[in-house]
Amino acid sequence: MNATPFALRAGTIALGRTRVLENIDLTINDGEFVVILGSNGSGKTTLVRGLLGLIPLAAGELELFGTPLGEFREWARIGYVPQRFSATAGVPATVEEVVLSGRISLARRGRGYGREDRAAAVEALDAVQLAGRIHDPVDELSMGQQQRVLIARAMAGRPDVLVLDEPLAGVDQQRQGDFAMTLAELNRSGRTVVLVAHELGALQSLVSRAVLLSTGKITYDGPPLDEHFHIEHVHHHPGLEAKLPNVPSNPPSEPR
């Protein structure tokens, strides 16, 4: 089975008459930790939504795990956390119910959620430090906590690939450090991580590859470089350095 999660060739995406992305070649390999960077309006979210088939290509070809998009059916292999999406979606639900919805494609049809599904939900909530809120209504949580519920929902399906669009929005520095350790463990276990970011904070030291977008085109694709980040503040998370390999004693500062 092909282990290349995403292979986009000459991809072009148009919104109306405007070409937001043009002639994009991007392959994301199994086990990578990739960050997609760029200024507001550069096309970061559009690129991710295109890779997931949520926005059609105006031109080009896309394969997911070696399968053309139109033939791909193994969506449980991909976990997606969208940008600024409400965890409640207007429907009253508990934290557990929202996270369990990430197991729909894996649950046995007609028999509801089983013990394994509920155990996966607890495991995912524990990873984002919300296990204690499992029975609470989601609409009682802060926006940052709701974002972490959505991350847990994506993780509950135990996907091969985790795609996150601005996951640190509304998350305080302490939680960013905790979340960084969780992503490090997932990546170390073999999962591919694709992260859209405006600010990396505690995640910067984890990134193995940076893709920089500017005006709808890839202007850099390779190891993260210092000049990609505008450094203003240093955020130190005790314990993170001990758990991550090759992390300096003073983690890189948060970019803008």
Side-chain angles (χ1 to χ4, degrees), residues 181-214:
M181 287 190 287
T182 297
L183 285 187
E185 291 169 4
L186 290 172
N187 186 233
R188 206 159 37 226
S189 71
R191 288 182 174 87
T192 305
V193 178
V194 181
L195 178 75
V196 174
H198 178 64
E199 298 181 350
L200 284 176
L203 300 180
Q204 184 173 332
S205 59
L206 310 181
V207 176
S208 60
R209 177 180 168 198
V211 175
L212 183 64
L213 286 177
S214 179

Side-chain angles (χ1 to χ4, degrees), residues 77-102:
R77 300 185 70 182
I78 302 174
Y80 174 47
V81 181
Q83 183 183 31
R84 290 189 293 273
F85 180 78
S86 172
T88 61
V91 179
T94 66
V95 168
E96 182 182 39
E97 288 169 337
V98 172
V99 176
L100 279 172
S101 69

